[in-house]
């Protein structure tokens, strides 16, 4: 009996290790895609071209210009918010702090939060908001830019944002979006749900363990 119990324990331990081995898990690539066929060494080769995040040109809470070069070689998480949001934004930003605290000392990782109300959310306002959240350094950027550009780039993140509704409120999705080093969408997570945020943190670890190619 003792031998049987010992054997079961070994099997359970092996399965637990296998289940928690992030290097074996592969995240999907989301968004639109299309096939491109080209000739290589006389042979036809078909590649899949995936949807990517387009070039951006923004200013962060420190007044620094941020574009794709600043994100090059980084895995990052993106979301959309505005500082006067009375509903989901405060919940989202508190939950994003879990992601920030998990990876703030990690290289090759960023968080970018796009304001959808740039007329109000100036650089000083974003800096004050960042200070209130308790974030510092260059792991998490609060970004301000042209509103029309932000609304357009949101589509690449598979997120919907809209102008103020008749009640005078901005409308936007509450998703955290995980982007890989090739600027491809690898996951979307409900930023108001702590279980989803925990899943995001685990998926970031998976993506960090993914071989570069």
């Amino acid at each position: 009996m003792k031998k049987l119990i010992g054997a079961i324990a070994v099997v359970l331990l092996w399965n637990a290790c296998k289940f928690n081995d992030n290097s074996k898990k592969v995240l999907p690539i989301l968004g639109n895609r299309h096939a491109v066929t080209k000739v290589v060494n006389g042979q036809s080769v078909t590649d899949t071209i995936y949807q990517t995040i387009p070039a951006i040109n923004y200013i962060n809470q420190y007044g620094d210009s941020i574009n794709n070069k600043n994100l090059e070689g980084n895995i990052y998480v993106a979301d959309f918010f505005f500082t006067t949001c009375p509903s989901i934004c405060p919940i989202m930003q508190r939950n994003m702090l879990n992601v920030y605290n998990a990876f703030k000392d990690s290289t090759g990782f960023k968080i970018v939060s796009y304001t959808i109300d740039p007329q109000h959310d100036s650089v000083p306002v974003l800096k004050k908001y960042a200070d209130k959240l308790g974030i510092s350094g260059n792991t998490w950027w609060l970004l301000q830019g042209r509103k029309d550009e932000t609304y357009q780039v949101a589509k690449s993140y598979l997120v919907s944002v809209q102008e103020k509704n008749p009640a005078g409120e901005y409308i936007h999705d509450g998703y955290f979006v995980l982007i890989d080093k090739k600027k491809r969408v690898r996951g979307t997570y409900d930023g108001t749900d702590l279980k989803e945020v925990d899943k995001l943190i685990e998926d970031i670890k998976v993506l960090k363990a993914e071989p570069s190619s």
Side-chain angles (χ1 to χ4, degrees), residues 53-58 67-68 149 153 183:
I53 306 303
I56 62 171
N57 188 16
Y58 284 80
N67 54 42
N68 279 30
E149 181 181 351
V153 80
K183 303 180 181 67

Side-chain angles (χ1 to χ4, degrees), residues 79 81 85-102 111 113 129-130 132-135 140 142 174 176 190-194 197-198 200-201:
D79 74 326
F81 81 111
C85 174
S87 54
I88 65 172
C89 294
I91 300 170
M92 291 171 62
Q93 303 309 327
R94 285 198 301 270
N95 290 345
M96 188 69 90
L97 279 171
N98 292 351
V99 182
Y100 169 75
N101 288 325
I111 300 170
S113 294
Y129 193 81
K132 186 177 179 179
L133 285 171
I135 65 176
W140 187 353
L142 309 182
F176 294 163
D190 183 348
T192 67
D193 185 336
L194 277 174
V197 176
D198 288 342
L200 166 60
I201 290 172

Side-chain angles (χ1 to χ4, degrees), residues 73-75 103-110 208:
N74 286 278
I75 293 164
F103 298 100
K104 64 182 178 181
D105 297 321
S106 177
T107 59
F109 176 78
K110 301 288 185 187
K208 288 176 74 67

Side-chain angles (χ1 to χ4, degrees), residues 101-138:
N101 288 325
F103 298 100
K104 64 182 178 181
D105 297 321
S106 177
T107 59
F109 176 78
K110 301 288 185 187
I111 300 170
V112 293
S113 294
Y114 296 84
T115 177
I116 61 173
D117 186 12
Q119 184 173 355
H120 175 271
D121 292 343
S122 62
V123 169
V125 169
L126 292 178
K127 181 61 167 61
K128 184 177 180 180
Y129 193 81
D131 291 343
K132 186 177 179 179
L133 285 171
I135 65 176
S136 60
N138 285 295

Side-chain angles (χ1 to χ4, degrees), residues 23-60:
S23 65
K24 303 298 182 183
K25 183 179 177 181
V26 178
L27 301 180
I29 301 173
L30 307 181
N32 296 326
R33 64 197 68 191
H34 64 276
V36 173
T37 301
K38 55 186 177 182
V39 177
V40 178
N41 297 326
Q43 300 291 326
S44 293
V45 177
T46 301
D47 288 334
T48 301
I49 306 300
Y50 295 94
Q51 175 176 320
T52 58
I53 306 303
I56 62 171
N57 188 16
Y58 284 80
I59 298 174
N60 68 13

